[in-house]
Amino acid sequence: MPTTVITGGTGGIGVATALALLEASPDRAIALVDLAAPAVPAQLGAYGPRVALFGCDVTDEWSVAAAAAEVRAAMPPVDSLVNGAGVVHNDASIDIPIERFRAMLAVHVDGTLLWSQQVARHLDGPGAIVNIGSIAGQFGHPRRIAYAAAKAAVHSLTKTMAVEWADRGIRVNAVTPGYIETPMMKEVSRLGLVDAGVAAGWAAMKRLGTPEEVAGAIRFLLGGEASFVTGHILNVDGGFAVLKAE
Ligand code: NDP
């Protein structure tokens, strides 16, 4: 039985990804990695010991190393990783405090690198990694200076890890979601950063995406059907990027 590690595993896209992987493969286990979640989310409770939760701050290399060691001790061998831990906030370039900028990069960029290193170093055979980027990393986004920079860096890490680790049998890809209905999106709406109705209009398909739609793309990129796909950045955005590029 192989294990997939999902950071941000108790978030909206994390839970949907866990469900998609568990339903697709009866012999897969899932290690959810999260900052503060108290327990495995109820939607995953039916899978019993195939799902376990590990507390970890992805910005802290010692926390990541300790959690990765716990996963290796408690779970079947890890063959795949989804880097999904994320935060979003609203700051203008002119006055964002540097600590706040660095904190954003730490979650997305350091977190992605640290967990990818842990998994790649201990893989015994072929493996696959999917990083969760964002369409925000592809365009200029007012008041998203830190988030957009962090996500652009995640896309870049994806490409470099893909070329460096191809000879180790590790494929590395990214998904770039558009606006997806998750707790993060609700928080962004609550803060007045984005109006959900307006955001839906930015997609060619004129709606928000669902966590399940992102999860389906992640499952594809992790699985055997994508065995010749690496270094790819897959937009899961209802046509946001192509509309924006018109
Ligand atoms: P959620 O807020 O639902 O989930 C984010 C998860 O990341 C939470 O479980 C949170 O844990 C965890 N997390 C945050 N900081 C840390 C940390 N330092 N260490 C460990 N875990 C941490 O968001 P989504 O499911 O929407 O987002 C998942 C990914 O998708 C993110 O990378 C996000 O940027 C990206 N994305 C989302 C989009 C959207 O519209 N929703 C669009 C484009 C990209 P806790 O709850 O314990 O703090």
Side-chain angles (χ1 to χ4, degrees):
M1 182 186 285
T3 297
T4 302
V5 175
I6 305 177
T7 76
T10 70
I13 293 172
V15 169
T17 301
L19 280 169
L21 296 174
L22 289 161
E23 282 162 13
S25 168
D27 71 345
R28 180 159 294 279
I30 302 288
L32 305 171
V33 170
D34 213 278
L35 187 59
V40 169
Q43 304 97 298
L44 299 170
Y47 292 93
R50 286 174 65 194
V51 182
L53 176 64
F54 299 84
C56 167
D57 180 352
V58 301
T59 70
D60 176 345
E61 68 174 304
W62 303 114
S63 177
V64 172
E70 280 176 43
V71 171
R72 286 194 294 274
M75 304 293 284
V78 172
D79 72 343
S80 48
L81 167 68
V82 178
N83 281 304
V87 291
V88 65
H89 52 66
N90 188 14
D91 287 290
S93 315
I94 197 79
D95 56 10
I96 181 173
I98 195 65
E99 297 75 22
R100 199 164 153 86
F101 184 80
R102 288 178 180 146
M104 176 68 79
L105 264 64
V107 175
H108 296 271
V109 187
D110 299 16
T112 296
L113 178 64
L114 289 169
W115 266 102
S116 299
Q117 288 176 328
Q118 282 295 330
V119 167
R121 285 174 191 158
H122 292 93
L123 258 173
D124 237 356
I129 297 173
V130 173
N131 299 323
I132 305 188
S134 170
I135 50 161
Q138 300 178 346
F139 306 102
H141 271 254
R143 302 185 64 78
R144 294 292 180 83
I145 184 74
Y147 185 75
K151 288 305 194 183
V154 167
H155 305 164
S156 178
L157 290 183
T158 302
K159 294 175 194 173
T160 299
M161 291 192 296
V163 296
E164 282 194 7
W165 294 350
D167 63 359
R168 303 170 74 114
I170 305 172
R171 295 182 302 103
V172 188
N173 292 288
V175 290
T176 48
Y179 285 94
I180 311 296
E181 275 185 294
T182 66
M184 177 180 282
M185 179 69 196
K186 288 186 184 118
E187 177 66 3
V188 165
S189 300
R190 190 185 67 76
L191 294 171
L193 302 186
V194 170
D195 178 288
V198 173
W202 291 335
M205 294 174 71
K206 303 300 174 206
R207 65 172 177 83
L208 301 179
T210 66
E212 292 72 25
E213 288 172 317
V214 180
I218 294 171
R219 182 180 56 197
F220 164 72
L221 289 170
L222 287 179
E225 289 183 334
S227 55
F228 201 49
V229 181
T230 197
H232 187 67
I233 312 291
L234 178 60
N235 291 341
V236 186
D237 66 348
F240 180 110
V242 284
L243 192 62
K244 188 103 175 158
E246 271 179 357

